[in-house]
Amino acid sequence: PTEGRLGHLTPEQTEKLQQFWVRLYDIFDGKTQFDQTAPSSFKGQNRDEDTPATPAPEKKSGGWFGRGKAAEAPKEKAAEVAAPAPRFSGADIQKAFWKLTMMDHPDLIILKFMRARKWNLDDAMKMFLNALKWRIVERVDELIELSDSELDEKYPKFIEQMRIGKGYLRGADPLGRPMSVVNTRLHHKNDQPAETIHRFTLYTMECGRLVLGDGAETVIVVFDLSNFGLDNMDWGFVRLFVQCFESYYPETLGVCVVHRAPFVFWGLWKLIQPLLDPVVASKFVFTRNNAELHKVIPRDRLPITHYDGLDDWKYEYVPGTPDENAPMKDLAKKEELVAERHALETKFDGVTREWIKNINGKNSSARDEIATSLREQYARLTPYVRAKNLYQRLGV
């Protein structure tokens, strides 16, 4: 689809984008009041190390698919006394915005939130600010800045999740949408702390952003429910999955394939479906066998080892090497590249502020050129500010 996307905006949509930037700069500059606190649903702001941070109303979650005796709908828990929520300034929001942008055109990020809220500026801005505050509270940055071994030390058995292939990214469909496969049968709730599963989920989401190719804005998620049983159901993960794609990574889910769902799943689906936004629910596809899966994802894009595919590939975790993140220790070069990045951000801000002085629905080629430079510069900056991940080692 091209409707409402970068490079395909109507004059009316471009005007809306300009108006959004006006409001955003007023927040950055402290000219406009906004809710500076984190919503109470951000459980990451006041949790201990053994309690997962989910954007759901419950306090605890099991992670991906946990082991239990029954799959019951979540029950409300007694109210607890919470510490004061953190407060955020316009400068905090601006910093979080540029960290979120990374290699993307800044407009691409904003347009996702505007489309998700049907171009309503008030609703889109509220959603956008909540997502930025959520990223701060969730400490998303650490997931890309720490190495596998550092994450494993902080979150026990983090590497184990990758080693067994519980969830991984592989390839893309003909539209260039990266594919994420979740093997539900490999998860056992008590094998690792719930917080580890939570962080691994967000880690995979962030890695997915890196493997998006030019022109691709969405991903395909395949939930392999082979050998799924009631003891695999986890409401915490369902809420996390829904909230991430509805609120924090909007307009990112292209298709969610539920593969080989057994009979017991359909009773659960009746409970899950009401939790979904209608737009998100419309992206769910159910395949009973490999032949049906091939109608969604071509055989040549699926591994031979699973799904009767033709891709001669088998998942394997490649561990990091002691010196793979050596550039991160080169503080002089890092400082030089970070300064270069900030200069480009400042340049983009300056051109954008001029652009929004006249709300005329016309695009700015100068902004697009700077955004291209930001993408190229981030590729050079990456080795100095983010640890190498599994997919970079695999050559993705």
Side-chain angles (χ1 to χ4, degrees):
T2 58
E3 172 65 24
R5 283 163 173 76
L6 196 64
H8 301 278
L9 300 182
T10 65
E12 293 76 16
Q13 290 169 339
T14 303
E15 283 190 14
K16 288 277 190 179
L17 178 61
Q18 288 180 296
Q19 292 166 0
F20 189 98
W21 275 103
V22 170
R23 297 186 181 200
L24 189 58
Y25 278 126
D26 283 347
I27 290 173
F28 288 170
D29 299 340
K31 296 179 180 179
T32 298
Q33 295 297 317
F34 68 99
D35 184 358
Q36 296 179 307
T37 61
S40 59
S41 59
F42 292 1
K43 297 307 177 185
Q45 66 195 30
N46 189 36
R47 68 182 186 273
D48 57 39
E49 292 302 314
D50 296 323
T51 305
T54 69
E58 273 194 333
K59 268 289 179 184
K60 293 188 178 181
S61 137
W64 286 83
F65 287 87
R67 176 180 292 169
K69 293 186 177 180
E72 300 177 349
K75 299 178 181 179
E76 292 296 327
K77 299 204 173 184
E80 298 181 16
V81 177
R87 299 183 64 83
F88 308 99
S89 66
D92 294 329
I93 296 298
Q94 185 174 22
K95 182 178 179 180
F97 167 71
W98 281 114
K99 285 199 170 187
L100 165 64
T101 302
M102 296 195 294
M103 65 286 177
D104 290 325
H105 191 308
D107 287 350
L108 183 148
I109 300 293
I110 289 174
L111 287 170
K112 284 177 176 284
F113 289 86
M114 296 184 72
R115 293 197 304 270
R117 288 299 175 261
K118 306 297 188 290
W119 301 90
N120 181 298
L121 291 178
D122 290 336
D123 292 347
M125 181 60 73
K126 180 179 179 181
M127 183 188 193
F128 188 57
L129 293 177
N130 278 344
L132 293 176
K133 290 186 284 188
W134 174 83
R135 292 181 69 85
I136 297 172
V137 169
E138 280 288 352
R139 309 185 309 278
V140 174
D141 292 339
E142 77 167 12
L143 297 174
I144 64 177
E145 294 171 355
L146 298 181
S147 67
D148 289 3
S149 59
E150 289 172 324
L151 287 169
D152 193 66
E153 182 178 353
K154 189 168 185 179
Y155 305 107
K157 296 191 176 181
F158 188 93
I159 290 178
E160 180 71 6
Q161 314 312 306
M162 292 185 283
R163 189 189 66 78
I164 65 175
K166 186 175 295 185
Y168 60 84
L169 301 164
R170 169 62 182 175
D173 75 348
L175 296 179
R177 299 178 296 189
M179 292 186 292
S180 174
V181 178
V182 181
N183 291 307
T184 63
R185 67 186 181 278
L186 297 180
H187 178 70
H188 302 293
K189 176 181 177 181
N190 296 324
D191 286 353
Q192 64 286 300
E195 177 73 350
T196 296
I197 296 299
H198 183 83
R199 305 305 284 174
F200 176 64
T201 304
L202 299 185
Y203 170 87
T204 304
M205 296 285 288
E206 288 298 304
C207 287
R209 292 189 62 207
L210 269 190
V211 300
L212 282 169
D214 290 338
E217 295 188 26
T218 60
V219 300
I220 291 182
V221 179
V222 178
F223 278 100
D224 187 343
L225 267 60
S226 301
N227 301 317
F228 176 88
L230 284 177
D231 61 337
N232 295 124
M233 184 57 190
D234 182 337
W235 289 103
F237 173 73
V238 171
R239 289 191 300 269
L240 175 60
F241 180 84
V242 170
Q243 285 293 324
C244 277
F245 281 111
E246 285 187 357
S247 302
Y248 308 130
Y249 300 86
E251 294 287 302
T252 299
L253 180 63
V255 178
C256 182
V257 182
V258 180
H259 186 56
R260 290 187 181 279
F263 178 78
V264 297
F265 173 80
W266 298 106
L268 300 172
W269 177 246
K270 292 181 180 179
L271 299 175
I272 295 172
Q273 195 169 18
L275 301 176
L276 302 175
D277 177 273
V279 174
V280 173
S282 70
K283 297 177 181 179
F284 277 70
V285 176
F286 299 90
T287 56
R288 293 171 297 179
N289 50 53
N290 291 334
E292 292 187 357
L293 179 62
H294 297 161
K295 295 178 181 180
V296 182
I297 305 172
R299 289 183 67 190
D300 63 343
R301 305 301 177 107
L302 295 166
I304 291 177
T305 53
H306 297 85
Y307 319 121
D308 192 27
L310 299 176
D311 182 7
D312 187 14
W313 175 85
K314 181 179 180 181
Y315 176 81
E316 180 182 5
Y317 173 66
V318 178
T321 60
D323 60 346
E324 69 176 6
N325 293 314
M328 297 185 74
K329 299 177 182 179
D330 187 345
L331 300 184
K333 185 64 175 179
K334 176 180 178 179
E335 183 177 349
E336 174 190 331
L337 290 172
V338 169
E340 181 183 318
R341 173 76 178 187
H342 290 334
L344 283 172
E345 293 168 354
T346 300
K347 185 177 181 180
F348 185 89
D349 280 341
V351 174
T352 300
R353 289 176 188 270
E354 286 297 318
W355 178 58
I356 60 179
K357 285 181 179 179
N358 182 15
I359 308 297
N360 56 13
K362 295 182 179 180
N363 188 42
S364 168
S365 59
R367 296 175 70 250
D368 293 339
E369 291 175 3
I370 300 171
T372 300
S373 297
L374 282 165
R375 183 179 182 88
E376 180 277 329
Q377 201 274 341
Y378 189 76
R380 292 187 288 110
L381 174 65
T382 292
Y384 297 88
V385 296
R386 64 183 302 157
K388 185 168 288 189
N389 62 46
L390 168 63
Y391 305 102
Q392 291 169 314
R393 293 187 211 107
L394 293 173
V396 177

